[in-house]
Amino acid sequence: MEVVVAHTPAPLAASDVDWTALQNFAALRGQLRVSFGPRCNIACWFCHNEGDVPPPLTRVDRSRQPRPRRLDVDGYLTLITALLRAGMKRVYFTGGEPLTSHLARPVLARLPEPGPDVSYTLITNGTRVRTHRSWLSKTHLDKVKVSLHYFSDESLHAIAGTRVGIKAVLDGIETAQEIFERVELNTLLQKENAHEVRQILDFALERRMPAQFIELVGTDFNESRASSAVPADAIIAHLRTLTTDEHTEVAGVGQGRRVFRIDGVEIDVIHRNLGRHHVGQCGTCPLRPNCVEGFWALRVDHDGGLQPCLLRDDLRLDLKESLADPARLAEAVARHIASFTEGTL
């Protein structure tokens, strides 16, 4: 039976828990990023796997393995439903590649009915969308975000180390547009695709798809290729030749972004020069000089953990023991986020 989630948080049980930090985070458009696991059919060198060991590293060193999977379908649905009832509104499904997971279909097919303020977004590399289109079209997903970091077989191979061709990715984008009203692109700026960024932009504009250009988030997993990072200055300069409709957004959580509107299509650039949203725990964090994200997402992994910071797995909260009691689970998350916000973890 489906659980109906209202567009405002359901009344919470009386307790000594302070829900303010969690609900403020949700009100500032914070994301709940739910990973179905590290499995992926390609291996982009910059993959951060939501804080777990990413596929590219495991492929070259079998001793480096991600956490074991401990969440099942009911566990995922319990966790998502509990956090929606606690006030979270924006849920993003990630991986790895979500559509390679055997859990994707049963979880996405049974998502709680969303209220008007709740959104479900699938983040995918696009290569499996056509294969799964029949059941995807029947889910509560309201947006698909396709990672398009390449625009040729050559750049796809250089970035993702795969024999999958670019046609499979572009076909997935076309299929997604046939199924969903909202399809967006995101592109990580890097040396390997610098010669194709304008082609990707033109592709998005021709198909009237919003697109986002992103600067590299450096992690321990991708530091060996950090020199591939490219700043956003060039694409910003080019966008300014196409439109004068530009504004910046620095409110809310996460990084600031420059937003351009070209013939009604929104193109935004995540630009580190605009700053980011930090909270109490960030004040004494030794990794803060390397942090370009700030606090913007709660990351749920397939082992039942929740992490408020991509770079700090020591701040991870294990929720497996709380799955039997959704109210206690939500309270544990609220306490954790309150402590993170205050800087007392």
Side-chain angles (χ1 to χ4, degrees):
M1 183 175 70
E2 286 190 333
V3 180
V4 177
V5 177
H7 67 281
T8 54
L12 299 166
S15 72
D16 60 349
V17 177
D18 184 353
W19 299 90
T20 306
L22 179 61
Q23 294 185 347
N24 282 349
F25 175 74
L28 290 171
R29 297 179 57 77
Q31 295 183 11
L32 176 64
R33 295 176 69 88
V34 179
S35 172
F36 285 126
R39 186 180 176 189
C40 189
N41 58 328
I42 64 176
C44 296
W45 66 264
F46 50 81
C47 178
H48 56 61
N49 196 23
E50 302 297 342
D52 206 346
V53 177
L57 288 190
T58 301
R59 288 190 183 189
V60 299
D61 182 357
R62 292 293 177 180
S63 69
R64 304 190 70 177
Q65 294 290 326
R67 300 180 185 96
R69 176 185 290 113
R70 298 252 167 61
L71 279 186
D72 58 13
V73 172
D74 289 337
Y76 273 106
L77 292 170
T78 295
L79 198 153
I80 292 166
T81 301
L83 293 182
L84 286 173
R85 285 177 169 166
M88 293 300 297
K89 300 179 185 301
R90 305 175 73 209
V91 186
Y92 286 70
F93 296 95
T94 72
E97 166 51 47
L99 296 181
T100 63
S101 171
H102 70 281
L103 297 176
R105 180 173 183 174
V107 172
L108 296 179
R110 292 172 53 193
L111 289 174
E113 183 84 29
D117 295 332
V118 172
S119 65
Y120 295 124
T121 300
L122 175 68
I123 300 178
T124 174
N125 63 34
T127 60
R128 299 294 182 90
V129 175
R130 184 169 293 280
T131 300
H132 298 287
R133 65 173 296 165
S134 61
W135 65 264
L136 280 172
S137 64
K138 300 172 185 175
T139 67
H140 288 311
L141 290 170
D142 58 301
K143 183 169 73 174
V144 171
K145 197 159 190 174
V146 182
S147 299
L148 186 61
H149 311 299
Y150 17 68
F151 209 68
S152 65
D153 290 344
E154 292 74 21
S155 60
L156 178 51
H157 178 73
I159 292 169
T162 180
R163 295 180 181 178
V164 174
I166 192 65
K167 286 184 179 180
V169 179
L170 300 182
D171 178 70
I173 295 171
E174 180 181 342
T175 304
Q177 285 197 291
E178 293 169 359
I179 301 172
F180 299 101
E181 183 177 346
R182 298 172 63 193
V183 179
E184 300 179 2
L185 304 179
N186 72 81
T187 301
L188 178 74
L189 300 168
Q190 54 195 288
K191 290 179 180 177
E192 290 82 356
N193 67 13
H195 61 295
E196 295 178 338
V197 167
R198 290 192 185 186
Q199 289 176 271
I200 294 171
L201 173 63
D202 290 343
F203 176 81
L205 293 175
E206 288 168 5
R207 287 156 182 77
R208 303 195 61 75
M209 285 184 292
Q212 185 174 75
F213 293 94
I214 308 166
E215 294 179 317
L216 177 70
V217 176
T219 68
D220 291 343
F221 300 130
N222 62 38
E223 62 183 354
S224 66
R225 291 181 63 175
S227 61
S228 285
V230 171
D233 300 351
I235 187 62
I236 290 172
H238 177 61
L239 287 166
R240 285 172 175 163
T241 70
L242 303 179
T243 183
T244 57
D245 189 344
E246 173 189 353
H247 68 276
T248 59
E249 292 185 0
V250 293
V253 296
Q255 297 167 270
R257 62 185 190 133
R258 300 189 187 278
V259 182
F260 300 83
R261 189 168 292 276
I262 303 172
D263 193 25
V265 179
E266 187 173 290
I267 307 294
D268 69 78
V269 182
I270 301 296
H271 199 194
R272 69 184 63 200
N273 290 351
L274 296 178
R276 55 211 56 85
H277 177 74
H278 288 297
V279 294
Q281 197 74 35
C282 308
T284 58
C285 178
L287 300 181
R288 179 162 178 166
N290 301 321
C291 176
V292 298
E293 284 200 322
F295 178 39
W296 68 286
L298 304 181
R299 304 172 190 271
V300 173
D301 60 56
H302 70 163
D303 187 37
L306 179 142
Q307 222 170 289
C309 175
L310 177 65
L311 304 180
R312 295 283 303 274
D313 61 1
D314 59 313
L315 301 179
R316 180 175 176 270
L317 172 67
D318 192 333
L319 294 170
K320 289 191 290 293
E321 297 301 317
S322 300
L323 289 171
D325 186 345
R328 186 162 69 93
L329 184 152
E331 290 180 358
V333 173
R335 287 193 180 97
H336 198 72
I337 300 311
S339 295
F340 181 74
T341 301
E342 294 165 3
T344 58
L345 278 184

